[in-house]
Amino acid sequence: MVLVLMGVSGSGKTTVGKLLAADLGWTFVEADDYHPAANVEKMKGGTPLTDDDRRSWLGALRHEIDGACRRGENVVLACSALKHAYQNYLEQHEPDCVSYVYLHGSEELLRSRLEARKGHFMNPKLLESQLETLEPPTDAIRVDVTPPPAVIAKNIRQKLGF
């Protein structure tokens, strides 16, 4: 199974994803590691990515998802997956193997997290464009990100029945 923790920047995908993967004994994959350097530079500068910018990134992620599904590997993937088109593309070859958890919170909470974050390339100015782009999957497990990360991971496990 590939469990995609999705949502906008600041929703805790990486922090919660690492905890959840460790709790479950699964592999953790960080989608940000697959962005080409040009994408990272755009985001650092506060320029939103286009669908064209995301094409190679999504292709690399789908390759990873397809491989994990073929191997029967359980993976927690931290990935924004903001649009339905991206979600559909990621699960296109293995729809029965991929599930989504939508991490959501108030704009104020997300903004405060982004502004407090150190050492990450994502410019806090991009939160607004991400929120405008966001199309949560209708069948995703929805989890509020207000509690501490360990509680969020526990909530996800409970909702999954793990």
Side-chain angles (χ1 to χ4, degrees):
M1 170 185 228
V2 175
L3 188 62
V4 181
L5 299 188
M6 58 86 54
V8 299
S9 191
S11 62
K13 297 180 296 290
T14 300
T15 302
V16 173
K18 286 179 178 178
L19 288 171
L20 184 61
D23 289 348
L24 295 171
W26 291 16
T27 301
F28 175 75
V29 175
E30 171 57 70
D32 284 346
D33 294 343
Y34 291 79
H35 274 298
N39 285 6
V40 172
E41 288 305 312
K42 280 183 92 169
M43 289 184 280
K44 275 184 185 178
T47 302
L49 298 180
T50 66
D51 288 346
D52 284 341
D53 293 330
R54 289 185 178 97
R55 188 166 286 117
S56 67
W57 174 70
L58 288 167
L61 293 173
R62 186 167 78 181
H63 178 77
E64 291 297 317
I65 288 169
D66 291 350
C69 292
R70 278 193 309 276
R71 293 186 300 273
E73 181 180 6
N74 292 315
V75 171
V76 174
L77 170 63
C79 177
S80 56
L82 295 175
K83 291 183 177 182
H84 292 289
Y86 307 160
Q87 299 151 21
N88 294 338
Y89 179 80
L90 291 174
E91 68 181 14
Q92 184 176 22
H93 295 151
E94 300 284 350
D96 294 334
C97 179
V98 180
S99 296
Y100 287 92
V101 174
Y102 168 43
L103 300 177
H104 66 90
S106 71
E107 184 174 350
E108 295 77 23
L109 173 64
L110 299 168
R111 186 171 309 286
S112 69
R113 288 179 175 180
L114 289 175
E115 290 171 352
R117 190 158 65 177
K118 304 284 185 245
H120 193 277
F121 61 80
M122 185 63 159
N123 189 317
K125 293 189 287 185
L126 293 175
L127 178 60
E128 188 174 326
S129 71
Q130 284 201 330
L131 289 169
E132 289 171 1
T133 302
L134 180 64
E135 299 172 353
T138 56
D139 59 346
I141 295 169
R142 297 174 63 92
V143 179
D144 177 40
V145 297
T146 305
V151 173
I152 298 167
K154 181 180 177 186
N155 290 343
I156 294 168
R157 286 194 323 272
Q158 287 175 339
K159 290 182 180 211
L160 290 170
F162 295 160

